């Protein structure tokens, strides 16, 4: 039974081609029927690559594969399947990744270590990689620079809409483009999510610079979002740089010549991260939590994430209840420095509690109207220092229970 | 609309009187209508007291009051109300506790600092303590040694059944009794829960000994349970010892003469803690997670609690899906030392995954039957050391969303 599209869905933007990047999507019949579940990408020679992966201590075989391939610094192909995560599959899982890489390397005429692999779906079932290997040659024949949306659809699991984003930036005098696609809906938490994200740019940047920019950008985007506090075993963000734009060389991520590119990459990552939250399993509302007045920025972020992960806050929002008392509870349980008597909480721009007590006679009308909307803003001021941080989440609804109480059946 | 009684409910046991302890319950109309919401207890002179309170950084005014009163070491009265937690209520909340204590002290002819106070319910609304003060004299006139069940009912909020337990133990040659009542259903997590628990014994023990025994017992019971990972602002466990049994004096909690008493107290605390989990909001199944093979006992407990707090594990159990892949995910996200390739997971006594991969051809029939039951057992062996730990939780169901999406309305 197909899931209803999230009420927070956004249309797929127009993603212009990136020189040196081609995608193809097809049906390998790994788990789903009558939908695409396999994506192949091929990159021009000398494409640089950077990656950030799950912090889960039980990562899938594809994450191990990518971590081992990353130091090579170049990527020629990417293979992604949906429906089976190839996690906790022992030796069979390792064999699946190497045989998939061998097959793709044969098609792309590269080394297996220049093939990157990601899988998403059920954990603990052996991945029938023979179906992937059998399907790859036909996909290779249909590679296309305009297939970004098809690729975004081919990597979906419980996602209800495909997710893409595009930005341009200047490096020196040269305009470069960045495109990205992502999938993710549940098992979404820092660090990071059942979240796959693939980004490509025509910028020419060395791998260490790419890695530095990507790691920082992921920390400021995906690592500030949570759907359900569960951290996937498969989270993967890969950034590919073909160099086709021919910009002047830059050797250091901190070079001011990269400021515009770094800002565009950050914006693209946050765009994709928020699309994942908008597609959170069962989500009816997008929630932003801004924390100020913390003893540090990192403390502020931990407080924001404690609010974002609180089932009681999330169910209150689902019920359109401006229950700031539960926000107070969540701030207090974060374990971060907080003083009840300096704490202020607001919703939708109205401060409901100030310095440890309810604001007498505050106007509830705008708050009630705000919580009936699709985008909810929570503000917390700890009153202790200058630390600031933001987290994003969605509400917790019957839809989440429906989806996750019967995922395998 | 009254909530349906939990399918995991247990009958209220017969709690014989404890010499020196009398309870009364009545209707103060604080929030609920046509049900008791106020409980008064009076204790014999020289009753010792110990207490353990929430770790939440934003505790309620009653928690502040009890923490300040505890060093006095004696208790003569206890006042508990349901429906309003008196949390985040500023100066008004402080005044509520002191005026309530003054009123109870006048009736019990003791110092206000010998009155203990607890409140549970909505956060952020000023407690109308005048209704409590007005209701107390009538309650005082009905104090009764046999009113334990009435007291357990009078402190309920979203609880669907009253919770009590009783044990006997020997100190030296003297038999002593321990009774306890508890309330709690949601906002339940270490440390500790929206959980109130009041225990009384006729044993004669000095306050420091009581405190040591209680703190250890709470750590081995309530602190191993979670309903929704949210930590209340009001958690309170109080232990009162009237001394009426006249046992021989014991000055040290580690005295072997206290071994039987300590064991009985631990068992009573775990009995009450599991009754709270059985009444977890929307709970359909009680889940026990046993972790072995960890690098330490504390690491094992953190892994067990990570599994217990995973929404994806809890929704899978609600759906009667033996989804051990999500258990692997939760182990991996705990952040504790774990090696995917040594990890084993079992459900209901059947090992489904061993040493990093599925057990080929394991018999799914007993597992399927087990997850259809009311009490689910999950076993995790990390294969790293000798650390062991256990946590208890309930499943995550539509009932939780129903209850918490409309709590204030």
């Amino acid at each position: 039974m197909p899931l209803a599209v999230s009420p927070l869905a956004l249309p797929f933007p127009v993603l212009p081609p990136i020189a040196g990047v081609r995608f193809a999507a097809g049906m390998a019949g790994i788990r789903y029927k009558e939908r695409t579940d396999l994506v192949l990408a091929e990159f021009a020679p000398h494409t640089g690559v950077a990656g950030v992966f799950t912090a889960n201590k039980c990562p899938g075989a594809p994450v191990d594969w990518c971590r081992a391939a990353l130091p090579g610094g170049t990527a020629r192909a990417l293979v992604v399947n949906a429906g089976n995560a190839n996690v906790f599959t022992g030796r069979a899982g390792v064999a699946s990744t190497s045989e998939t890489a061998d097959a793709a390397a044969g098609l792309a005429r590269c080394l297996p270590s220049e093939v990157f692999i990601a899988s998403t779906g059920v954990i603990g079932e052996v991945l029938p990689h023979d179906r992937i290997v059998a399907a790859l040659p036909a996909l290779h024949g249909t590679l296309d620079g305009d297939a970004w949306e098809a690729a975004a659809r081919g990597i979906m699991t419980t996602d209800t809409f495909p997710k893409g984003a595009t930005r341009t930036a200047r490096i020196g005098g040269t305009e470069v483009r960045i495109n990205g696609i992502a999938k993710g809906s549940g098992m979404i938490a820092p660090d990071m999510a059942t979240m796959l994200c693939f980004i490509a740019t025509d910028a020419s940047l060395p791998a260490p610079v790419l890695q530095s920019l990507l790691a920082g950008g992921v920390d400021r985007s995906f690592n500030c979002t949570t759907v359900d506090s569960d951290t996937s075993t498969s989270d993967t963000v890969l950034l590919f740089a073909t160099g086709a734009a021919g910009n002047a060389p830059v050797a250091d991520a901190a070079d001011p010549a990269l400021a515009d590119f770094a800002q565009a990459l950050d914006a693209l990552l946050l765009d994709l991260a928020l699309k994942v939250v908008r597609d959170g399993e069962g989500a009816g509302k997008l929630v932003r939590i801004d924390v100020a007045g913390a003893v540090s920025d990192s403390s502020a972020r931990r407080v924001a994430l404690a609010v974002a992960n609180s089932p009681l806050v999330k169910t209150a929002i689902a019920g359109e209840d401006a229950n700031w008392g539960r926000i107070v509870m969540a701030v207090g349980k974060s374990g971060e420095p907080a003083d009840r008597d300096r704490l202020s909480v607001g919703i939708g721009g109205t401060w409901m509690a100030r310095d440890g007590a309810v604001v007498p006679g505050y106007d509830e009308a705008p708050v009630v109207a705000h919580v009936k909307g699709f985008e909810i803003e929570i503000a917390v001021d700890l009153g202790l220092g200058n630390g600031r941080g933001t987290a994003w989440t969605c509400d917790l609804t019957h839809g989440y229970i429906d989806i996750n109480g019967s995922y395998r059946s």
Side-chain angles (χ1 to χ4, degrees), chain A residues 5-229:
Chain A
V5 174
S6 167
L8 306 172
L10 295 176
F12 197 85
V14 175
L15 267 57
I18 300 259
V21 180
R22 294 184 303 155
F23 276 106
M27 293 188 232
I30 292 160
R31 178 180 189 85
Y32 305 116
K33 294 183 199 311
E34 295 173 20
R35 57 152 280 193
T36 54
D37 60 356
L38 182 64
V39 170
L40 173 67
E42 192 175 295
F43 307 106
H46 311 299
T47 291
V49 60
V52 178
F53 306 95
T54 182
N56 194 296
K57 296 289 183 69
C58 298
V63 169
D64 286 353
W65 177 272
C66 289
R67 283 196 168 116
L70 202 60
T74 59
R76 294 296 314 283
L78 168 71
V79 181
V80 188
N81 75 272
N84 183 315
N86 191 14
V87 171
F88 219 69
T89 45
R91 289 176 185 279
V94 176
S96 283
T97 54
S98 65
E99 296 194 25
T100 299
D102 286 348
L107 294 165
R109 304 193 182 192
C110 67
L111 297 171
S113 61
E114 293 176 303
V115 177
F116 285 75
I117 296 173
S119 300
T120 175
V122 172
I123 295 172
E125 297 183 5
V126 172
L127 175 64
H129 64 271
D130 51 316
R131 297 180 205 168
I132 294 176
V133 169
L136 283 177
L139 259 67
H140 192 258
T142 62
L143 285 166
D144 184 343
D146 260 329
W148 283 91
E149 181 169 352
R153 290 186 183 279
I155 63 175
M156 288 164 55
T157 55
T158 53
D159 302 62
T160 72
F161 65 93
K163 300 165 189 73
T166 184
R167 294 289 188 283
T168 58
R170 295 188 79 82
I171 301 178
T174 308
E175 182 169 283
V176 303
R177 177 167 295 284
I178 318 171
N179 282 359
I181 58 173
K183 67 82 51 181
S185 185
M187 210 184 277
I188 298 292
D191 310 88
M192 297 180 306
T194 294
M195 191 275 301
L196 304 182
C197 178
F198 307 107
I199 303 156
T201 177
D202 53 2
S204 173
L205 293 168
V209 170
L210 291 173
Q211 186 65 36
S212 173
L213 295 175
L214 183 64
V218 167
D219 195 51
R220 289 183 287 271
S221 57
F222 286 105
N223 285 352
C224 297
T225 64
T226 178
V227 167
D228 56 11
S229 81

